[in-house]
Amino acid sequence: MRIGLIGTGRIGTFHAGVLERYREVGSLVVTDAEPERAAALADRIGATAAPSVDDLFKWGVDALVITAATSAHAELIGRAARAGLPVFCEKPIALDLPGTLAALHEVRAAGTVLQLGFQRRFDAGYTAAREAVRAGRLGRLHTVRALTSDPAPPPAAYLPLSGGLYRDCLVHDFDALRWVTGREVVEVYAAGSDAGPAMFRDAGDVDTAAVVLTLDDGTLATATATRCNGAGYDVRMELSGELDTVVVGLDDRTPVASTEPDGPPAADKPWPGFLERFAPAYEAELKAFVDVVRGARDNPCDGWEALAALRVAEACEVSRRERRVVRVEEIAGGR
Ligand SMILES: NC(=O)c1ccc[n+]([C@@H]2O[C@H](COP(=O)([O-])OP(=O)(O)OC[C@H]3O[C@@H](n4cnc5c(N)ncnc54)[C@H](O)[C@@H]3O)[C@@H](O)[C@H]2O)c1
């Protein structure tokens, strides 16, 4: 099959390298708003570069992978749907709910496939936690603690295009929370702090956030995120029930140091970032997409799943701004 990839930045470069290795992908055509970036990548990995998005559509592909900046996703999803193309798109679909819903309705009207890039659904640790919860091995689940800590802020230019910490970063934790527990979030209270680097204040964003979430069966969860975690890239989920507790993301690369005299040693090679920590999961989600395009499996994460996680992020933004508990049903876009 011939796959087109739009957006050859950080994640697009990684995904292109993965796709190029799959034997089902006969040819890969890459493009970017900065064509020289796409050309350089194509040279490096043996793909073909199209000079523009228009050219890529004109040349014709069997499926599309969208890894451009978030602000470009919704329009590209709509365009691909109208062309009848299956799409893998990095999260999120759009920076706001109207844009997200418009793209989803185009996909529904066209009857095409849209798979979203929530790679934690393909991570071994999250998958095992889901199995433990679903098999009842933890007993009644009462508490979930989720966290995503980036080692350093992204470039300042990324912030205004990102949608902010809840939509850009914590949205992964919200999706994982729903996917692992099989429950819906009904209520959130979110706080955020912009006491760190000034670029967050300038962008109207926060560098650190904490959220309390109530699930529809009464399970309580917390989710925290920061862009300023000097110890390294730390993504964990701790799930406690009446019978047992399991922890996702706890290994000899977890960037934490015990203060106990006989505690475990600090990681000597802490995870540096998402590309290293989640490399196998990114590879597996793209393999799944190739299989979806071949008709060999069902879509593992459609756009409506992404909408559900985005509505929780939107509720957090309202909660932070208005300093109050927000019910997710207050946010438009329920099915
Ligand atoms: N799933 C994950 O863990 C994960 C991790 C990182 C990024 N992402 C998502 O991937 C997307 C890209 O992030 P990134 O970190 O690679 O950003 P980036 O800034 O490194 O790269 C974005 C690229 O898109 C190009 N671009 C922008 N608008 C375009 C358009 N209209 N047409 C074609 N190309 C265009 C830019 O020139 C740039 O090369 C974002 O939506 C982000 O949320 C997801």
Side-chain angles (χ1 to χ4, degrees):
M1 72 180 70
R2 185 173 165 90
I3 292 200
L5 179 143
I6 300 178
T8 54
R10 290 185 304 174
I11 198 88
T13 296
F14 185 90
H15 285 352
V18 171
L19 288 167
E20 193 55 42
R21 292 198 295 276
Y22 287 140
R23 93 187 132 65
E24 296 89 343
V25 181
S27 77
L28 178 67
V29 184
V30 300
T31 195
D32 194 281
E34 296 182 23
E36 60 289 354
R37 189 175 290 170
L41 173 66
D43 268 359
R44 271 200 314 279
I45 65 171
T48 305
S52 70
V53 172
D54 284 347
D55 288 308
L56 186 145
F57 274 97
K58 244 184 267 155
W59 292 1
V61 291
D62 300 311
L64 196 64
V65 171
I66 300 173
T67 46
T70 297
S71 51
H73 292 184
E75 195 217 315
L76 291 171
I77 289 170
R79 190 167 173 182
R82 293 191 295 279
L85 294 178
V87 169
F88 173 92
C89 184
E90 265 309 333
K91 45 54 63 178
I93 293 173
L95 291 175
D96 59 12
L97 279 167
T100 302
L101 288 166
L104 288 177
H105 286 125
E106 290 237 44
V107 170
R108 180 180 275 171
T112 49
V113 164
L114 171 62
Q115 181 184 330
L116 260 290
F118 282 114
Q119 83 281 0
R120 294 185 193 183
R121 294 182 177 217
F122 293 87
D123 175 73
Y126 282 98
T127 303
R130 181 178 200 253
E131 282 163 11
V133 172
R134 304 290 178 102
R137 289 203 290 279
L138 307 188
R140 183 186 66 84
L141 186 67
H142 47 72
T143 312
V144 184
R145 290 171 289 272
L147 69 95
T148 297
S149 298
D150 281 340
Y158 180 84
L159 293 181
L161 304 177
S162 74
L165 193 59
Y166 302 99
R167 295 187 193 94
D168 184 55
C169 182
L170 275 165
V171 74
H172 281 290
D173 297 273
F174 302 150
D175 179 65
L177 184 59
R178 294 182 62 247
W179 186 73
V180 168
T181 64
R183 311 304 317 188
E184 294 295 341
V185 177
V186 291
E187 200 173 87
V188 304
Y189 179 71
S193 167
D194 61 5
M199 65 183 195
F200 290 95
R201 286 188 290 290
D202 296 344
D205 198 357
V206 293
D207 58 77
T208 303
V211 187
V212 178
L213 310 102
T214 305
L215 308 190
D216 59 7
D217 63 348
T219 302
L220 294 178
T222 60
T224 64
T226 182
R227 302 280 199 189
C228 306
N229 197 54
Y233 184 63
D234 193 359
V235 172
R236 271 178 281 151
M237 180 178 275
E238 304 176 2
L239 300 113
S240 298
E242 287 178 352
L243 296 180
D244 207 354
T245 291
V246 292
V247 184
V248 179
L250 183 63
D251 61 16
D252 60 4
R253 301 193 70 179
T254 309
V256 293
S258 171
T259 55
E260 300 301 330
D262 299 320
D268 63 348
K269 261 182 72 185
W271 293 110
F274 55 87
L275 288 177
E276 296 80 7
R277 165 71 176 83
F278 286 114
Y282 291 128
E283 289 169 15
E285 70 178 356
L286 287 176
K287 179 69 173 66
F289 179 59
V290 168
D291 288 344
V292 169
V293 175
R294 289 195 303 131
R297 66 166 290 169
D298 288 338
N299 185 351
C301 185
D302 69 19
W304 300 95
E305 292 288 293
L307 174 67
L310 179 67
R311 291 178 73 220
V312 178
E314 293 282 333
C316 290
E317 280 292 358
V318 175
S319 173
R320 173 176 78 95
R321 212 171 44 239
E322 300 181 7
R323 303 181 83 88
R324 67 177 176 91
V325 172
V326 173
R327 290 189 66 78
V328 175
E329 67 192 13
E330 288 181 40
I331 308 296
R335 284 207 197 207

